[in-house]
Amino acid sequence: MSKVWFITGCSTGFGRELAKEVLALGNRAAVAARNTADVQDIVAGYPDTAIAVKLDVTKPDEIKAATEQVKQKFGRIDVLVNNAGIGYFGAIEESEEAEVRRMFEINVFGLANVTNSVLPIMRAQRSGHILNIASIGGLVGFPGVGFYNATKFAVDGYSEALSKEVAPLGIKVTIIAPSGFRTDWAGRSANNSPITIPDYKDTAEANKNAIRGYSGKQPGDPVRAAKAIVKAVESEHPPLRLLLGVAALKGARNKLEQLKKDFDAWEDTTRGADFPL
């Protein structure tokens, strides 16, 4: 059955490919971007089932207006995809507070505010599916992108809690955790800190250079990712977390092993922290 999708950050990357995929499958879609001219080519071929929506997720008035526009056009919202986001490169000590706060405003608070705007519609419907684009960096920390990791860890925890709050209302939540994909994330969508501290040359700087050098050569295919996301939405039992990419699977499994190792090694100390029975 045709669904109404509301997708943020559609000018490039996952958002763009996902919008194209869901429309090609016969769904209806609100294709959102800060500049609607960037998505006109997507909606042009679907005059009856697609609208371009102006949305900067850091502007509450635009969030409210965009949500109302979608509701007025389609009458409902079945799937919300919080895709808008940015990156930032720099060791934690090197990172500029203003840039870090800006990233949190987009990646965390913007995502939460869009969700809060859509939730009343989904609650009234007693149905809906919220997909939050996080990252394998929301499960595993990496040098050189520590504050980016912090935003995506926040998205992961927020989404897990949200899933437990809205499940009784018929609303599903899925966290999308990609590894390296050929999007613009490591290009113009991520700034560098101008501050460099030599002590981090072999950790933060080395990883930053590796990621930058890999841009455009990542193994992840955004088109295949879009198809995988649609598959999850169409599933009767969608996952809470959907890893995308072999590197994401490997990183998550390594993290599980490390967690188990620490938990097991320190089990006696952990248990000893409670009052005696």
Side-chain angles (χ1 to χ4, degrees):
M1 186 178 72
S2 172
K3 290 183 172 65
V4 175
W5 291 63
F6 180 11
I7 309 170
T8 72
C10 291
S11 60
T12 61
F14 284 141
R16 185 174 186 82
E17 296 304 330
L18 187 57
K20 289 160 62 177
E21 177 70 13
V22 300
L23 286 167
L25 290 171
N27 295 284
R28 292 165 287 170
V31 183
R34 286 182 297 170
N35 184 351
T36 56
D38 293 338
V39 297
Q40 286 300 329
D41 62 311
I42 301 175
V43 303
Y46 302 94
D48 298 323
T49 58
I51 54 171
V53 176
K54 178 176 174 55
L55 178 58
D56 180 334
V57 300
T58 66
K59 296 180 178 179
D61 57 335
E62 289 194 12
I63 293 173
K64 181 179 179 180
T67 304
E68 185 60 28
Q69 183 182 355
V70 181
K71 184 180 178 182
Q72 288 296 323
K73 173 67 176 179
F74 298 122
R76 60 187 296 114
I77 297 174
D78 298 303
V79 185
L80 169 65
V81 184
N82 282 307
N83 172 68
I86 61 170
Y88 182 74
F89 289 97
I92 288 172
E93 190 181 352
E94 295 170 342
S95 298
E96 308 155 282
E97 182 177 346
E99 290 296 314
V100 170
R101 286 183 179 275
R102 174 174 174 264
M103 183 167 56
F104 268 90
E105 287 293 336
I106 296 169
N107 293 5
V108 180
F109 296 110
L111 176 150
N113 289 339
V114 173
T115 301
N116 280 348
S117 184
V118 170
L119 274 173
I121 297 171
M122 290 186 171
R123 285 192 290 104
Q125 295 169 179
R126 282 302 193 261
S127 67
H129 198 157
I130 298 167
L131 294 95
N132 291 330
I133 307 297
S135 168
I136 185 56
L139 292 171
V140 182
F142 299 98
V145 287
F147 279 112
Y148 173 77
N149 286 143
T151 68
K152 295 303 183 178
F153 268 76
V155 168
D156 188 281
Y158 162 92
S159 301
E160 182 173 328
L162 178 66
S163 72
K164 296 173 181 177
E165 293 175 355
V166 301
L169 307 177
I171 302 169
K172 301 171 184 177
V173 177
T174 296
I175 306 159
I176 309 296
S179 48
F181 276 73
R182 294 184 193 180
T183 67
D184 200 32
W185 180 84
R188 68 179 179 87
S189 295
N191 292 331
N192 279 347
S193 170
I195 302 165
T196 57
I197 298 174
D199 282 343
Y200 299 119
K201 180 178 180 181
D202 295 333
T203 53
E205 185 176 347
N207 192 47
K208 175 194 74 176
N209 291 338
I211 294 172
R212 289 290 201 192
Y214 209 30
S215 183
K217 305 171 188 174
Q218 301 96 325
D221 179 355
V223 175
R224 291 174 183 265
K227 294 181 184 299
I229 292 169
V230 171
K231 182 179 180 179
V233 170
E234 292 178 346
S235 171
E236 185 178 354
H237 301 290
L240 173 60
R241 290 180 179 83
L242 177 62
L243 301 172
L244 294 178
V246 173
L249 184 61
K250 181 179 179 181
R253 284 179 169 164
N254 287 343
K255 177 67 175 281
L256 285 173
E257 291 175 6
Q258 184 61 55
L259 287 172
K260 186 177 187 305
K261 180 180 177 182
D262 286 346
F263 295 162
D264 290 348
W266 287 86
E267 181 177 355
D268 290 344
T269 303
T270 298
R271 291 182 179 278
D274 285 350
F275 286 110
L277 295 176

